[in-house]
Amino acid sequence: MIFNSLRAGVYIHQFWGTSTLSLDIFCAFGYPVISRSMKEIKVKDASTFCTLVPNGEPHIQQSMSVSEDHTCSSIGVKSTPEIEKKYVHLVYDAIAPHFSSTRFAKWPKVAAFLESLPSGSLILDAGCGNGKYLGLNSRCYFIGCDISPPLIKICADKGHEVLVADAVNLPYRTNFGDAAISIAVLHHLSTENRRKKAIEELVRVVKKGGLVLITVWAVEQEDKSLLTKWTPLAEKYVEEWIGPGSPRVRGPSSFTLESIPETEENDLGGHTKDSRESLTEKTQQAACLNCQNEDNSLVSKDGRHQQEYFVPWHLPYHRAEVSGASAGALANGLAKKDDKKGAVVYNRYYHVFGEGELERLVSGMDNAVIVDKFYDKSNWCIILEKTL
């Protein structure tokens, strides 16, 4: 089966001179492994060579295939829905440098988790973005992956060990790492089955006793006004783009949240304009009008909490390539100019999580238990321990 999520070259640099890990371990990925000392390498289960061109950058000549031998690997779950391709993958490819420039501060909770891991641990960062957590604990080894080749290139240019991969189909062998993190990733997956699969993959790739930290955006945002700046998706739109029965809704929360001050993330550059003004014509027709309940969270017409949104990202004109991804997005109607703000406006798909939703996703897993759960910076977070 062709692994269609490998959309660009694999970047792994500078590891072999400092690591005690052997090359054959990395070949177990089913991916080409690249170091500065290697010119060309053939990998088992790959349909082609990955070659280093003269400037040292890896070049993938053809597609590659990866063997699939673990559970819950149906084609349907691993097949990327169009809404993710257009409103997650393409968007982050286009905004990568600007996005990276806003992602530098480390969340204290994530940093504390990484610092608590034993020396020599191999930590897998699934959805590493610009790599801000890679190398945070100097006593450990880090490998990152992300679906966005431009973000992976940013990581590689910093000297990190990274590769392009899909969160629902991680390219690591079972029981490979000592710990894994998934920071602000699962909310970009548009079906419950894909979110479950991503969690299963995180647990699969760590050893027995290994820990997995997962964080997702919460529908219970500390800044209630943010919800009014996001565009809720209509049920008709969700069914057409995501699939019937995909979004899971919940009743009103009875849990009083402790307010934790926001410092950096949720979403620099992304909340400065009402995203209803930046929808394409198709999504304008599909978007529904929702009302607000007493705590300012949005509810649909039948009283259910809204969890599917488009969240805008404003890419300043001076950061947008004249003939690059932004030009193509504008031509295809996937982005819109905002001359008043001097920006190209993209919409990113989010499924924001309700209280208890992460726990429910892992409740049926027989090889992991929840060892901690908490709310931090408008995110729901859990830590899992692999038991089998």
Side-chain angles (χ1 to χ4, degrees):
M1 182 180 74
I2 299 299
F3 183 33
N4 61 7
S5 296
L6 186 67
R7 302 187 295 135
V10 180
Y11 304 86
I12 298 184
H13 298 279
Q14 297 178 341
F15 191 70
W16 312 109
T18 58
S19 173
T20 58
L21 299 178
S22 61
L23 176 60
D24 62 326
I25 291 178
F26 281 86
C27 287
F29 290 176
Y31 279 74
V33 180
I34 303 166
S35 75
R36 295 191 184 281
S37 62
M38 282 185 274
K39 297 298 182 182
E40 190 172 81
I41 184 169
K42 179 69 173 180
V43 180
K44 182 180 179 181
D45 295 329
S47 61
T48 188
F49 287 100
C50 179
T51 306
L52 282 181
V53 295
N55 64 2
E57 290 296 329
H59 173 63
I60 300 296
Q61 295 174 327
Q62 296 179 25
S63 299
M64 287 178 294
S65 61
V66 176
S67 60
E68 304 293 344
D69 59 359
H70 48 83
T71 59
C72 193
S73 59
S74 68
I75 294 176
V77 172
K78 291 184 178 179
S79 179
T80 306
E82 285 297 310
I83 193 170
E84 293 178 35
K85 292 178 183 178
K86 293 184 176 181
Y87 295 101
V88 181
H89 300 181
L90 292 178
V91 172
Y92 280 99
D93 287 354
I95 70 174
H98 185 233
F99 175 82
S100 178
S101 70
T102 71
R103 294 305 188 265
F104 48 87
K106 282 75 172 175
W107 286 4
K109 294 277 190 178
V110 178
F113 172 82
L114 295 174
E115 292 287 359
S116 72
L117 298 173
S119 296
S121 295
L122 175 60
I123 304 169
L124 308 174
D125 187 347
C128 63
N130 70 339
K132 74 176 185 177
Y133 291 112
L134 298 177
L136 185 143
N137 184 339
S138 61
R139 299 174 287 105
C140 298
Y141 300 108
F142 289 77
I143 302 175
C145 67
D146 200 280
I147 197 65
S148 171
L151 285 173
I152 285 300
K153 186 178 187 306
I154 290 172
C155 295
D157 290 344
K158 297 176 182 178
H160 296 308
E161 317 303 329
V162 289
L163 64 158
V164 173
D166 194 328
V168 301
N169 196 9
L170 293 177
Y172 313 119
R173 70 183 186 184
T174 300
N175 302 322
F176 180 61
D178 297 294
I181 61 174
S182 172
I183 309 303
V185 175
L186 264 62
H187 49 230
H188 288 309
L189 302 179
S190 58
T191 71
E192 182 175 292
N193 284 340
R194 283 172 62 76
R195 295 188 282 271
K196 282 183 177 179
K197 177 60 178 173
I199 296 175
E200 290 173 0
E201 281 289 273
L202 290 165
V203 173
R204 178 186 68 80
V205 300
V206 300
K207 301 171 184 177
K208 180 180 178 181
L211 298 177
V212 175
L213 170 63
I214 302 171
T215 77
V216 294
W217 279 20
V219 69
E220 300 89 346
Q221 290 288 302
E222 292 168 355
D223 183 354
K224 306 297 184 183
S225 67
L226 290 181
L227 291 174
T228 65
K229 300 179 184 297
W230 302 348
T231 302
L233 302 188
E235 290 183 11
K236 179 177 183 296
Y237 182 87
V238 168
E239 290 179 0
E240 289 177 354
W241 284 78
I242 304 178
S246 168
R248 295 299 299 269
V249 295
R250 60 177 192 84
S253 172
S254 60
F255 181 74
T256 302
L257 300 175
E258 179 182 357
S259 179
I260 303 175
E262 178 64 83
T263 58
E264 183 258 334
E265 305 261 60
N266 267 0
D267 217 346
L268 291 177
H271 296 137
T272 57
K273 178 177 165 57
D274 192 331
S275 60
R276 289 180 180 82
E277 297 177 11
S278 64
L279 287 174
T280 63
E281 181 176 354
K282 179 175 181 178
T283 58
Q284 282 178 324
Q285 295 172 352
C288 65
L289 296 176
N290 292 267
C291 58
Q292 290 180 300
N293 62 13
E294 291 181 359
D295 66 357
N296 290 328
S297 61
L298 290 181
V299 294
S300 56
K301 294 179 180 178
D302 60 2
R304 300 181 302 180
H305 279 248
Q306 176 69 36
Q307 291 183 261
E308 316 295 325
Y309 290 95
F310 277 148
V311 178
W313 185 274
H314 290 72
L315 181 65
Y317 283 161
H318 70 276
R319 301 296 295 265
E321 308 86 351
V322 175
S323 58
S326 294
L330 290 168
N332 295 325
L334 297 178
K336 185 177 180 180
K337 286 185 177 181
D338 182 349
D339 290 329
K340 292 183 179 179
K341 295 288 185 180
V344 177
V345 183
Y346 288 87
N347 282 298
R348 299 166 295 156
Y349 168 79
Y350 278 78
H351 168 87
V352 289
F353 281 63
E355 177 198 349
E357 187 174 353
L358 263 180
E359 294 95 304
R360 290 194 296 272
L361 286 178
V362 303
S363 61
M365 297 179 65
D366 58 4
N367 62 341
V369 295
I370 299 173
V371 295
D372 196 7
K373 54 184 178 180
F374 52 94
Y375 176 88
D376 184 39
K377 301 183 185 301
S378 295
N379 284 251
W380 289 113
C381 314
I382 59 172
I383 299 177
L384 306 175
E385 179 179 350
K386 186 171 183 175
T387 57
L388 296 176

